[in-house]
Amino acid sequence: KAGVTQTPRYLIKTRGQQVTLSCSPISGHRSVSWYQQTPGQGLQFLFEYFSETQRNKGNFPGRFSGRQFSNSRSEMNVSTLELGDSALYLCASSLGPFNGRANDEQFFGPGTRLTVL
Amino acid sequence: EDQVTQSPEALRLQEGESSSLNCSYTVSGLRGLFWYRQDPGKGPEFLFTLYSAGEEKEKERLKATLTKKESFLHITAPKPEDSATYLCAVHRGLGDYKLSFGAGTTVTVRA
């Protein structure tokens, strides 16, 4: 069974540009979450989607947005890029609605490394 | 606000030298505590989820335990391939839908 896939794996952009990252969850998984990982802040939650609905959003500016499609694939978009947006962006999927029930595990993809120059 | 604190920040072990990593948390209504392993440049790899105090889970040389305030990840007779950053995260469950992570413990095992 294929794992979570993310594209592209590496991206270099300049300040002011925008970027779209893509995530394909494990087959059958309906919940997709996005996290940002930096050396200084560690892993921080961006947002979570289930059945095309955003159910939770982290403390990030409105430049960060996302969506989920009917096939559970998800995209996140960052507009007006800043140098501080350089990070590893991780997507994770879970089978169910990820509400803390037993066996409700979250599996991560390899990430997209975004560098903003 | 949820707080997850991992200690130590870094751990250097000799091959075969067992040790423990600590994850202490303050969160209301903990529904699950997750352990992940992360290799450089890769996404976190799921290891365990613990749901209630007293629960223990094992996988190869790793054993995770949970109390009401902290979790331990025991590494028994580690090998160089156990070198990685180990992350713990808490999930408050209903209505939360996210993991709150600690900063991680970087383990280096020397042959």
Side-chain angles (χ1 to χ4, degrees):
Chain A
K1 201 173 189 179
V4 178
T5 57
Q6 294 187 244
T7 56
R9 292 293 313 280
Y10 302 92
L11 210 48
I12 298 176
K13 293 285 187 179
T14 55
R15 281 184 301 174
Q17 288 187 306
Q18 75 165 20
V19 66
T20 299
L21 312 180
S22 181
C23 170
S24 292
I26 293 171
S27 179
H29 283 199
R30 297 170 61 193
S31 168
V32 173
S33 300
W34 289 89
Y35 294 82
Q36 181 196 65
Q37 186 174 31
T38 60
Q41 299 296 318
L43 269 151
Q44 293 193 295
F45 172 77
L46 280 159
F47 22 66
E48 189 267 356
Y49 291 89
F50 182 77
S51 294
E52 303 178 66
T53 300
Q54 186 185 92
R55 301 186 299 172
N56 201 357
K57 189 177 192 308
N59 190 23
F60 280 83
R63 302 184 296 108
F64 291 81
S65 63
R67 59 178 174 170
Q68 185 182 34
F69 303 97
S70 59
N71 61 359
S72 294
R73 192 178 68 85
S74 178
E75 290 182 346
M76 67 163 282
N77 183 276
V78 188
S79 62
T80 319
L81 284 166
E82 300 179 358
L83 295 178
D85 297 333
S86 294
L88 181 67
Y89 289 88
L90 292 159
C91 169
S93 75
S94 61
L95 180 63
F98 199 57
N99 59 8
R101 294 177 181 161
N103 301 317
D104 201 8
E105 295 135 358
Q106 197 170 62
F107 299 91
F108 282 82
T112 294
R113 172 72 62 186
L114 172 65
T115 301
V116 182
L117 303 176
Chain B
E1 186 178 317
D2 300 344
Q3 281 203 313
V4 183
T5 304
Q6 292 188 247
S7 61
E9 290 184 16
L11 191 59
R12 293 175 65 85
L13 301 172
Q14 201 67 32
E15 183 172 5
E17 178 189 1
S18 301
S19 188
S20 293
L21 284 54
N22 178 264
C23 173
S24 64
Y25 61 89
T26 53
V27 58
S28 58
L30 177 78
R31 295 298 292 268
L33 187 139
F34 290 65
W35 281 99
Y36 287 88
R37 167 197 169 121
Q38 187 174 28
D39 294 304
K42 296 187 176 182
E45 175 190 343
F46 174 79
L47 293 174
F48 307 106
T49 309
L50 302 167
Y51 293 98
S52 57
E55 189 175 1
E56 299 182 350
K57 288 190 177 176
E58 289 188 65
K59 180 180 179 179
E60 296 179 0
R61 294 176 293 282
L62 301 176
K63 179 180 177 180
T65 61
L66 180 66
T67 72
K68 288 187 178 179
K69 293 185 177 181
E70 57 192 349
S71 177
F72 293 93
L73 185 65
H74 308 278
I75 309 178
T76 301
K79 298 181 178 182
E81 52 262 43
D82 295 321
S83 297
T85 296
Y86 292 86
L87 298 162
C88 78
V90 297
H91 184 202
R92 284 196 284 135
L94 292 174
D96 199 22
Y97 313 122
K98 71 176 185 186
L99 292 176
S100 298
F101 281 85
T105 294
T106 299
V107 174
T108 304
V109 183
R110 296 168 291 176

